[in-house]
């Protein structure tokens, strides 16, 4: 299934994309798509519905973050060897974990706002993993059983804040609008192998990133198992698993986002995002 939350910010309704690509309303069945609806049992009930009988949604509404009540937005750094090389950083021996503030979450096609004082805002297409059942000290063998589904994430990053202002990476990662997620959550049954997904990002119509989850340093199962040693992963938590090469800071000369730019990005089977870049505004 492809599950969505559609409508104005803060007023999103649950929905799904049927086999013909049409948006159907789920608000008569569930109140929202969140922690209580992401278990295998709950998702199985939704899958058994006759999707053609659900009310169609007219027009082209906005898609919000496909999961409500996200408690943690966990990220993995330098998880592609060629991206580590372009960043001039050594390949990690263990997964690098950092956090994005949940206040940065935004819809797949919402504008990305440059933060006040930004000079080096960058892009990163990433595979997002949505946790479906609590994971605490889980094995790699069992890790994927805790996944509800997968989605596209743009890990927007302000590099000066991240790398040149001292402290941890987090301050360059959690600015408002820096976490576009979606357009939909694709349930685990439709992604039999998360390590075989092509991914790409275009800036102003020109290809910037091309990659595949095949080349991850640490695969999804390893990431979930590893992270679950240090924090309890809860239903609805999102893990962004790293980006392939082609980010702005790795270009020669470096290239960063400016107002008027447009990013378009996608992952095989998980849909596409499109974000205009806008200046800072309170």
């Amino acid at each position: 299934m492809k599950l969505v939350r559609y409508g104005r910010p803060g007023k999103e309704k649950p929905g799904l994309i049927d086999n013909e690509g049409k948006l159907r309303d789920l608000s008569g069945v569930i109140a929202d798509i969140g922690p209580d609806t992401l278990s295998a049992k709950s998702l199985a009930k939704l899958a058994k519905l006759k999707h053609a009988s659900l009310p169609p949604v007219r027009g082209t509404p906005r898609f919000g973050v496909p999961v409500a009540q996200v408690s943690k937005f966990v990220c993995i750094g330098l998880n592609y060897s060629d991206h580590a090389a372009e960043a001039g950083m050594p390949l990690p021996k263990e997964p690098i974990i950092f956090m994005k503030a949940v206040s940065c979450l935004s819809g797949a096609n919402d504008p990305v706002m440059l933060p006040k004082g930004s000079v080096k805002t960058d892009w990163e297409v990433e595979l997002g993993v949505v946790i479906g059942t609590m994971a605490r000290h889980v094995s790699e063998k069992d890790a994927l059983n805790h996944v509800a589904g997968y989605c596209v994430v743009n890990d927007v990053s302000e590099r000066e804040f991240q790398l040149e202002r001292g402290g941890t990476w987090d301050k360059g990662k959690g600015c408002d609008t820096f976490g576009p997620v979606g357009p939909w959550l694709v349930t685990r049954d439709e992604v039999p192998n998360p390590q075989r997904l092509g991914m790409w990002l275009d800036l102003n119509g020109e290809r910037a990133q091309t990659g595949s989850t095949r080349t991850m340093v640490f695969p999804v199962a390893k990431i979930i198992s590893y992270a679950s040693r240090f924090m309890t992963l809860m239903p609805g938590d999102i893990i962004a698993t790293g980006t392939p090469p082609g980010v702005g800071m790795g270009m020669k000369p470096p290239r960063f986002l400016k107002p008027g730019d447009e990013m378009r990005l996608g992952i095989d089977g998980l849909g596409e995002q499109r974000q205009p870049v806008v200046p800072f505004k309170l």
Side-chain angles (χ1 to χ4, degrees):
M1 289 183 296
K2 294 180 176 66
L3 299 174
V4 302
R5 298 175 65 248
Y6 68 94
R8 292 177 298 161
K11 303 290 184 180
E12 293 92 346
K13 294 181 179 181
L16 60 78
I17 306 298
D18 67 17
N19 291 334
E20 296 180 354
K22 296 179 180 178
L23 174 59
R24 301 278 180 171
D25 179 47
L26 275 175
S27 60
V29 181
I30 55 175
D32 207 343
I33 298 168
D36 295 338
T37 57
L38 295 176
S39 68
K41 184 177 180 180
S42 296
L43 293 176
K45 288 182 180 179
L46 293 179
K48 289 179 181 179
L49 295 172
K50 293 181 179 179
H51 295 172
S53 67
L54 295 169
V57 179
R58 296 180 179 179
T60 55
R62 166 189 174 270
F63 286 150
V65 180
V67 182
Q69 302 174 46
V70 177
S71 68
K72 290 191 291 298
F73 196 172
V74 184
C75 298
I76 307 299
L78 304 178
N79 197 32
Y80 289 73
S81 57
D82 33 15
H83 171 58
E86 73 174 352
M89 298 180 182
L91 206 62
K93 295 180 180 179
E94 297 185 32
I96 295 173
I97 296 178
F98 63 93
M99 310 292 281
K100 288 177 79 80
V102 294
S103 56
C104 82
L105 287 165
S106 60
N109 301 317
D110 291 348
V112 166
M113 181 179 68
L114 297 177
K116 187 176 182 179
S118 169
V119 292
K120 295 182 179 180
T121 296
D122 207 344
W123 56 85
E124 296 188 11
V125 59
E126 305 201 7
L127 172 65
V129 180
V130 178
I131 299 297
T133 56
M134 185 178 73
R136 183 169 178 263
H137 288 276
V138 300
S139 67
E140 287 185 48
K141 182 179 179 180
D142 187 47
L144 296 186
N145 292 328
H146 292 268
V147 173
Y150 302 91
C151 54
V152 182
V153 171
N154 189 354
D155 176 18
V156 185
S157 309
E158 213 298 341
R159 302 301 188 187
E160 186 195 38
F161 297 179
Q162 175 191 358
L163 301 172
E164 301 174 33
R165 301 285 290 272
T168 64
W169 288 7
D170 302 47
K171 69 175 71 173
K173 295 286 190 171
C175 303
D176 291 348
T177 75
F178 271 25
V181 177
W184 39 71
L185 167 66
V186 180
T187 51
R188 188 180 73 210
D189 58 296
E190 293 195 13
V191 187
N193 188 344
Q195 304 306 147
R196 293 185 178 180
L197 302 174
M199 54 208 304
W200 55 272
L201 182 145
D202 290 348
L203 179 63
N204 299 330
E206 297 181 8
R207 184 58 45 94
Q209 288 187 276
T210 302
S212 170
T213 57
R214 289 176 182 266
T215 63
M216 282 184 182
V217 178
F218 304 106
V220 173
K222 172 69 175 180
I223 289 168
I224 295 170
S225 175
Y226 184 85
S228 76
R229 302 181 201 173
F230 305 101
M231 65 189 80
T232 299
L233 299 173
M234 301 299 294
D237 286 352
I238 300 172
I239 304 176
T241 56
T243 197
V247 300
M249 73 173 178
M251 294 183 172
K252 298 184 185 303
R255 182 177 181 182
F256 298 108
L257 296 171
K258 61 184 185 303
D261 284 342
E262 183 182 72
M263 294 174 283
R264 184 180 170 212
L265 56 150
I267 298 178
D268 291 348
L270 304 185
E272 297 183 7
Q273 301 183 351
R274 186 189 295 264
Q275 298 116 20
V277 179
V278 299
F280 174 77
K281 183 180 180 180
L282 283 175

